[in-house]
Amino acid sequence: MSTAVRTRTRNPRIILNTLASQVPRLVTDVGVSDLWEREVRLLLRDSVAVRSLAERILGQGIAYLITAMENPGVDMGVGYVVDIGVHQLILDTPLYFALCEEYNGGRYKHHAPLIERRRDGTVMRTAELIRKNRFEVDDELWSADASDCSPCDDKVPDSH
């Protein structure tokens, strides 16, 4: 397939760093080079021991959140590992608000997890939806929890 016809994949690092003008203090106040580096360091501080794994988890968390925002009402869910990256982004509220502004039409995208995990194939269906949304999917991270989904409550308006 020629390069002109090939679908370009979306780069989570570039996507995250593009939001810097909306949250400039997050970078300048802590002395990191960009938003990507900030979030990776927060993951390393709190929950992930290896930098390369933190970067993979963060990238998949970004891909999941943007796909959820761009596909409202679609049943999606992540496994435990990718959820670490999702939670990191949501907990950094100024950054999460910037993501919502950019990718969810300025509306806050709620995170309303169900207590019981689902074991119905949602994780791998979500990975395929993310792939169709032009993100690279880290199959190893998604398949690690393929049968253990942490879904959100679809009764909460605009939630993922």
Side-chain angles (χ1 to χ4, degrees):
M1 182 179 287
S2 75
T3 305
V5 177
R6 194 176 312 146
T7 303
R8 300 186 70 161
T9 57
R10 300 164 83 180
N11 185 316
R13 183 179 194 143
I14 292 170
I15 287 169
L16 198 64
N17 287 333
T18 301
L19 300 173
S21 64
Q22 295 179 47
V23 286
R25 291 186 54 117
L26 291 185
V27 175
T28 59
D29 278 358
V30 295
V32 294
S33 57
D34 57 30
L35 290 173
W36 177 267
E37 182 63 23
R38 172 187 166 76
E39 300 308 309
V40 167
R41 287 192 192 181
L42 287 169
L43 281 169
L44 289 168
R45 181 194 75 184
D46 294 338
S47 54
V48 182
V50 179
R51 181 180 181 88
S52 60
L53 182 57
E55 289 180 339
R56 291 170 60 198
I57 290 170
L58 179 60
Q60 295 302 288
I62 292 165
Y64 168 78
L65 283 173
I66 290 174
T67 300
M69 289 177 188
E70 292 177 346
N71 294 275
V74 174
D75 184 29
M76 296 176 64
V78 297
Y80 174 77
V81 176
V82 174
D83 210 21
I84 294 168
V86 172
H87 288 166
Q88 175 54 51
L89 294 160
I90 291 171
L91 288 173
D92 201 345
T93 58
L95 176 60
Y96 186 62
F97 271 61
L99 277 167
C100 290
E101 182 70 29
E102 188 71 25
Y103 294 96
N104 201 42
R107 296 175 317 278
Y108 184 77
K109 184 79 164 175
H110 292 282
H111 184 60
L114 295 170
I115 293 173
E116 293 294 322
R117 292 185 180 272
R118 290 179 12 201
R119 291 167 178 85
D120 63 358
T122 299
V123 171
M124 297 313 290
R125 285 193 305 271
T126 298
E128 285 309 308
L129 180 60
I130 289 168
R131 193 181 322 273
K132 288 178 184 172
N133 204 29
R134 298 187 347 235
F135 285 100
E136 285 189 30
V137 171
D138 188 325
D139 291 313
E140 184 178 30
L141 293 184
W142 287 89
S143 62
D145 301 311
S147 64
D148 205 15
C149 177
S150 56
C152 285
D153 189 345
D154 62 359
K155 292 174 183 53
V156 175
D158 202 18
S159 66
H160 64 88

